[in-house]
Amino acid sequence: MARADTSRMAYRGTGIAERLERAEPTVVFEQTLRTIEHARRRRTRKRRLLIAAAIVLVPLLVVGTFLLTQRNATTEVSLDEATEQFRSTRTTGAEAGKPATARSLDQRATRDAETNEASTETPSDNKSGSTTSLAPSGPYALPAEGVYTYRSTGGEQISALGAHHDYPEKIHATVHHLGGCNWEHRNEVIAEHVDRRHWCSGPGKLSQSVQAREVEFFGQRDGSMATCSPPLVLHGVADRAGATAVGRCTGEGVDAKITRTYIGTEKIVVGGASIETIHLSVVGTFTGRATGTSHEELWLIPETGMTARWDRKVDTNADSVFGKVHYTENASFVLSSLVPVT
């Protein structure tokens, strides 16, 4: 026994070749096997730890990379793309080219517009003090169908990883006639943000029956559609400066109280020419799935109700596909030309 211990002491710290010369081959061989096995086990444990870490980290890195690259994804819609979409929808027919939700909105808008056209009385909450007996003919008439270009500034953001959209310098909006006095103003700010409003340009009265919005962040699209019933009267030809009206638009868990005020007439520059417009202030208060406020300033062309300029500020909190988020928007859109591309 003492001899074996002496033998071990003799080759401690030496290499394999020296051990073979100074110790018993069997002892050296066994110890070498144990050393190799110990090293193999250490390498195996290390590989397992690395694999486990990769299983956890790779998805996190993929998700993290996606969130970082997509949080500000902003896809500009060109005039050619907007025009092609308009022509395609026009060729196939407005109904055939729209999804079921849009067709449903259009049908509701038409029903509301028919009710609106039949009514010749001022809403009871009109505070102008003026009478609004409507002329049998005259403004408003439908604006021309086509694609309109707007100069734009501003953007939007949500309270998730600093996600935001900076709007391009030019955006395009499409006007489609929906039947009767109805028409749609589709404002495709970017591919990730689309606004839709349904208007009725009837004799002597302009009203809104539908407003809808779709916004996309992180590849997830969310939005809401609300119907104003009865349609909200935005302006009547007999309104005086300071006239107000209150309406309500509801849908998909959202309830909006809308208060519009007729500021008066104002000249703005469109396509290098100074034109007279109707200036409105429209304030919305939201409850339900979304809570908060919006403040829109609208400058409309008197003959048709077409939007010549649109400033808006939105500040809401909502339950969305992103979770609970705080959403804000501050933007302005100014019409570049009175003549649309068709």
Side-chain angles (χ1 to χ4, degrees):
M1 189 69 169
R3 181 181 177 184
D5 293 339
T6 302
S7 175
R8 293 190 182 94
M9 292 294 292
Y11 59 73
R12 181 177 298 171
T14 61
I16 294 176
E18 292 175 338
R19 292 180 189 181
L20 289 174
E21 293 177 357
R22 298 171 55 184
E24 296 179 5
T26 302
V27 174
V28 173
F29 181 70
E30 291 175 351
Q31 289 192 343
T32 301
L33 288 179
R34 284 196 294 270
T35 300
I36 294 172
E37 178 63 18
H38 179 68
R40 187 189 67 79
R41 289 177 179 175
R42 289 183 62 185
R43 288 195 300 271
T44 301
R45 285 197 297 271
K46 187 175 181 180
R47 281 198 300 269
R48 288 174 179 170
L49 288 173
L50 289 174
I51 292 172
I55 291 173
V56 174
L57 291 176
V58 169
L60 290 177
L61 289 172
V62 171
V63 172
T65 301
F66 173 80
L67 293 177
L68 289 175
T69 57
Q70 295 299 310
R71 62 179 178 170
N72 302 328
T74 303
T75 309
E76 185 174 349
V77 179
S78 69
L79 177 59
D80 288 342
E81 290 172 325
T83 304
E84 182 180 354
Q85 182 183 44
F86 167 76
R87 290 171 179 169
S88 174
T89 305
R90 202 179 199 188
T91 300
T92 58
E95 294 302 310
K98 293 180 182 176
T101 52
R103 290 197 301 270
S104 177
L105 282 173
D106 294 345
Q107 290 165 3
R108 279 184 286 174
T110 300
R111 290 195 298 270
D112 290 337
E114 290 171 349
T115 301
N116 191 38
E117 287 179 308
S119 174
T120 58
E121 296 182 356
T122 305
S124 60
D125 50 9
N126 190 312
K127 305 296 191 301
S128 66
S130 64
T131 59
T132 55
S133 56
L134 302 180
S137 62
Y140 289 92
L142 296 175
E145 286 190 303
V147 180
Y148 294 81
T149 297
Y150 289 81
R151 301 191 312 274
S152 66
T153 58
E156 63 186 346
Q157 63 183 6
I158 61 172
S159 57
L161 299 177
H164 69 277
H165 294 143
D166 293 326
Y167 295 160
E169 294 181 358
K170 291 182 179 180
I171 65 99
H172 308 288
T174 305
V175 168
H176 277 291
H177 295 169
L178 304 176
C181 68
N182 281 304
W183 55 282
E184 178 186 70
H185 187 271
R186 176 187 171 89
N187 196 35
E188 197 154 12
V189 183
I190 51 177
E192 294 81 9
H193 183 133
V194 179
D195 293 299
R196 298 174 66 236
R197 296 176 296 168
H198 286 187
W199 306 76
C200 168
S201 294
K205 182 167 58 177
L206 176 70
S207 59
Q208 175 181 297
S209 58
V210 169
Q211 61 182 30
R213 166 174 292 199
E214 293 181 3
V215 178
E216 181 177 320
F217 282 102
F218 304 116
Q220 297 294 315
R221 206 165 187 88
D222 198 5
S224 63
M225 294 183 291
T227 301
C228 308
S229 183
L232 172 66
V233 177
L234 294 174
H235 185 255
V237 292
D239 279 351
R240 298 171 183 169
T244 62
V246 178
R248 188 175 179 182
C249 303
T250 60
E252 300 183 348
V254 176
D255 191 330
K257 178 184 177 182
I258 309 295
T259 302
R260 68 85 173 157
T261 302
Y262 171 44
I263 305 299
T265 59
E266 185 176 329
K267 288 188 176 183
I268 67 170
V269 176
V270 174
S274 178
I275 64 171
E276 188 171 85
T277 63
I278 293 167
H279 184 189
L280 304 174
S281 174
V282 182
V283 177
T285 302
F286 306 98
T287 57
R289 188 166 70 93
T291 59
T293 60
S294 68
H295 184 186
E296 301 177 312
E297 296 286 322
L298 295 169
W299 289 262
L300 309 178
I301 297 172
E303 292 78 14
T304 63
M306 180 66 186
T307 303
R309 177 176 172 179
W310 184 10
D311 294 354
R312 67 185 181 199
K313 293 182 179 180
V314 180
D315 190 328
T316 60
N317 293 285
D319 294 321
S320 69
V321 294
F322 321 116
K324 288 187 176 294
V325 297
H326 180 207
Y327 171 87
T328 58
E329 181 187 27
N330 191 344
S332 179
F333 311 97
V334 180
L335 188 63
S336 296
S337 173
L338 296 172
V339 181
V341 175
T342 56

